[in-house]
Amino acid sequence: MAGKAAFRFSFGPWNISDGADVFGPEVRKPIDKTKKIALVKKLGFEGVQFHDDDAVSSVDVPHDQIVKEAKEMKKILDAEGLVPEFVAPRLWEHPNTIDGGYTANDPKAREYALERSRKAIDIANIIGSRNIVLWPAREGVYVNESKDHKVASERFVAAVNMMLEYDKNIRILGEMKPNEPMDHAYLPTTGHFLSICYKTVDPKRVGVLIETAHTILAGLDPAIEMGFAMYHEKLWSVHLNDQNGLKFDEDRVFGAMNLKRAFDQVFVLYENDFGANGEFVGLDVKSLRTQKDDAATSHLVNSKKVFMDLLEVVKKVDRKKLADLRASRNYEELEYYIITCIMGRA
Ligand code: XUL
Ligand code: MN
């Protein structure tokens, strides 16, 4: 039953950043998009994740221009031998989406969100991906009474249905996060998104991308969330990273805060053959603001190294011993055994 998949890795251009945060400006020289894409292979990755306006310079331009730029991006990807993993409509920065997109009170905002989602699908088709990731960043509330929560669910399902009907091949992946930027997001956990998925016109084409940090912010365990989604055959991507407690979304190096929690994620992915249907191990990690220009990609390389090193540990776990310790209900010994495996002392 152990996994056979040879894992392949992806990240998005936003993971190479200039260090700006909410309290301070950029501290590193900006790197242009093409240079970032040229780094993907060099850093040991095969897949590229895109927001709509990572793949083209803007989506608020005539459609011909979007098509032209998306075709150029496709050429760049082909020349580099890279696979576009997904396109995500960036519905959280535009003035029209201040109060959210699909669930906004203003019908004009909702129409903008739907129109932008159709453009994201067009871009995905041109660059050669069938995956649309929805991080419903501003679908939620600061003030509880500001929205009708039942209507919000209806609107969300209607938006997903619109996308499924607009393109019969595209798949929708929800990326759930409980808060930030909103106080309460409408789709905080995997369970929430999967329950929405089964209400759509084509549940087979709706699944999830699970991000480590987001599950931790929801007080949940990432490996358990991943196992749950894989039971539903709906774990179509991950955003591995790490998170130190319940604060802002930190996007730390995979395993940097809690190596055992990272081990558990690699274990559940390996045991359940994640990747066997072409899924990528995606990273969503942020370089520390203190990093200098020349070292602002090591967080990506190091996260992948931690994953590959933990994969070796996972493979070496004595399955018979594991089964015996489970059967004898000796979970104290099981816990210690796993710790010794991680420390290389088993
Ligand atoms: C936000 C987040 C996003 C999504 C892509 O917390 O994780 O980067 O991964 O839109
Ligand atoms: Mn993410």
Side-chain angles (χ1 to χ4, degrees), residues 175 209 211 214 239 284:
E175 180 177 346
L209 174 160
E211 172 161 330
H214 296 179
H239 267 175
D284 197 359

Side-chain angles (χ1 to χ4, degrees), residues 41-336:
K41 262 266 156 79
K42 288 196 185 77
L43 296 174
F45 291 75
E46 259 180 77
V48 191
Q49 312 169 355
F50 289 99
H51 293 119
D52 48 8
D53 54 6
D54 294 322
V56 299
S57 54
S58 166
V59 290
D60 297 313
V61 295
H63 203 256
D64 289 356
Q65 180 69 17
I66 296 177
V67 170
K68 182 172 163 280
E69 288 188 28
K71 283 184 179 164
E72 282 161 15
M73 179 54 74
K74 163 91 175 131
K75 273 197 200 133
I76 294 173
L77 292 171
D78 287 349
E80 292 283 337
L82 293 168
V83 181
E85 188 194 357
F86 66 69
V87 176
R90 200 194 294 271
L91 294 175
W92 52 91
E93 283 184 6
H94 196 273
N96 288 350
T97 57
I98 287 172
D99 189 32
Y102 311 132
T103 66
N105 285 331
D106 180 355
K108 281 203 221 82
R110 297 202 297 275
E111 191 36 55
Y112 175 82
L114 296 177
E115 180 58 23
R116 187 155 177 168
S117 304
R118 287 189 284 271
K119 288 178 186 173
I121 294 172
D122 296 342
I123 293 169
N125 275 322
I126 295 168
I127 65 173
S129 171
R130 63 182 296 234
N131 295 328
I132 298 294
V133 165
L134 298 182
W135 168 44
R138 296 194 189 276
E139 316 296 347
V141 292
Y142 301 118
V143 175
N144 201 308
E145 302 77 19
S146 64
K147 285 180 185 160
D148 180 323
H149 311 314
K150 181 164 173 274
V151 166
S153 294
E154 280 165 26
R155 285 180 175 157
F156 197 88
V157 171
V160 174
N161 283 344
M162 182 284 292
M163 288 179 250
L164 294 170
E165 269 157 4
Y166 179 71
D167 186 298
K168 297 284 186 213
N169 182 46
I170 215 84
R171 304 196 303 179
I172 307 294
L173 287 69
E175 180 177 346
M176 303 65 53
K177 182 177 177 183
N179 59 279
E180 198 198 32
M182 303 313 289
D183 190 8
H184 286 286
Y186 276 136
L187 296 163
T189 68
T190 310
H192 284 86
F193 204 91
L194 290 189
S195 73
I196 288 288
C197 134
Y198 292 116
K199 295 286 267 186
T200 66
V201 290
D202 194 357
K204 285 193 303 305
R205 289 193 287 135
V206 189
V208 292
L209 174 160
I210 294 182
E211 172 161 330
T212 315
H214 296 179
T215 65
I216 297 164
L217 287 171
L220 299 170
D221 178 80
I224 297 174
E225 291 285 282
M226 288 170 188
F228 176 70
M230 283 190 281
Y231 164 71
H232 289 269
E233 298 181 6
K234 292 208 170 294
L235 187 64
W236 298 342
S237 187
V238 290
H239 267 175
L240 298 187
N241 55 23
D242 212 351
Q243 173 72 26
N244 198 14
L246 299 179
K247 42 181 121 180
F248 61 95
D249 187 3
E250 295 187 302
D251 295 335
R252 300 296 297 269
V253 162
F254 183 56
M257 297 299 130
N258 187 329
L259 208 48
K260 188 161 178 291
R261 190 165 58 201
F263 164 90
D264 290 329
Q265 291 167 76
V266 179
F267 190 88
V268 79
L269 294 173
Y270 178 76
E271 287 292 297
N272 294 288
D273 259 340
F274 179 82
N277 301 310
E279 301 91 353
F280 276 92
V281 176
L283 299 177
D284 197 359
V285 287
K286 195 178 284 156
S287 186
L288 299 175
R289 196 163 188 267
T290 44
Q291 283 304 96
K292 298 195 174 161
D293 292 75
D294 55 353
T297 51
S298 48
H299 60 306
L300 289 158
V301 175
N302 294 345
S303 292
K304 184 184 163 193
K305 276 194 206 152
V306 172
F307 185 99
M308 294 309 288
D309 287 345
L310 284 173
L311 183 59
E312 288 314 303
V313 179
V314 162
K315 286 180 181 168
K316 283 194 199 131
V317 168
D318 180 341
R319 295 330 197 244
K320 162 101 176 52
K321 186 167 177 149
L322 175 66
D324 289 348
L325 290 169
R326 281 179 177 176
S328 60
R329 221 203 310 136
N330 195 349
Y331 301 153
E332 299 282 4
E333 237 5 83
L334 171 58
E335 182 173 68
Y336 184 68

